[in-house]
Amino acid sequence: QVQLVESGGGLVQVGGSLRLSCAASGRTFRSYAMGWFRQAPGNEREFVAVISWGGRSTYYADSVKGRFTISRDNDKYTAYLQMNSLKPEDTAVYFCAADSSPERLLQQGSIGYWGQGTQVTVSS
């Protein structure tokens, strides 16, 4: 069982930056790929980024490529999403997720574990 808790959301102006954190319980954190997703009001949840269990492989949605960076610190059981050059369309609730299969995270399959989400609001 893995519990995920996101933090770091907030209100930021266009062009600003935020770093989201996803703290995981359990020593099995190293066994899981980690992903970030987001959901804006009235929209379906969408994939943002994924990182492999060892951190060597990452993949991003086209909408955030070059602006967002996913990373992880396995010693701290924490995954991160550094968000730069934020745009109003980045406004959403951001969720982290964990699964033994990075493909399931990419395809938004039956993902094993989800956090509760953290709100990011980008004001213009």
Side-chain angles (χ1 to χ4, degrees), residues 10-93:
L11 175 65
V12 64
Q13 291 187 335
V14 169
S17 298
L18 282 175
R19 187 175 82 155
L20 305 183
S21 299
C22 175
S25 65
R27 298 178 181 179
T28 55
F29 176 74
R30 298 170 186 266
S31 303
Y32 293 96
M34 299 296 296
W36 286 96
F37 298 80
R38 66 187 182 185
Q39 187 168 20
N43 291 354
E44 294 186 353
R45 186 165 54 199
E46 65 174 354
F47 167 79
V48 175
V50 65
I51 187 167
S52 60
W53 67 270
R56 291 184 179 181
S57 298
T58 58
Y59 189 80
Y60 298 90
D62 288 342
S63 59
V64 306
K65 202 173 295 183
R67 300 187 299 121
F68 291 11
T69 302
I70 189 171
S71 62
R72 66 190 296 160
D73 186 335
N74 284 345
D75 292 333
K76 295 182 178 179
Y77 305 146
T78 302
Y80 304 96
L81 185 68
Q82 178 67 45
M83 306 185 295
N84 299 328
S85 302
L86 283 161
K87 305 175 181 180
E89 52 263 43
D90 295 318
T91 295
V93 177

Side-chain angles (χ1 to χ4, degrees), residues 81-115:
L81 185 68
Q82 178 67 45
M83 306 185 295
N84 299 328
S85 302
L86 283 161
K87 305 175 181 180
E89 52 263 43
D90 295 318
T91 295
V93 177
Y94 283 71
F95 300 88
C96 69
D99 200 281
S100 58
S101 167
E103 288 74 22
R104 270 200 292 269
L105 290 168
L106 276 170
Q107 297 165 9
Q108 291 200 63
S110 182
I111 293 171
Y113 304 99
W114 289 94

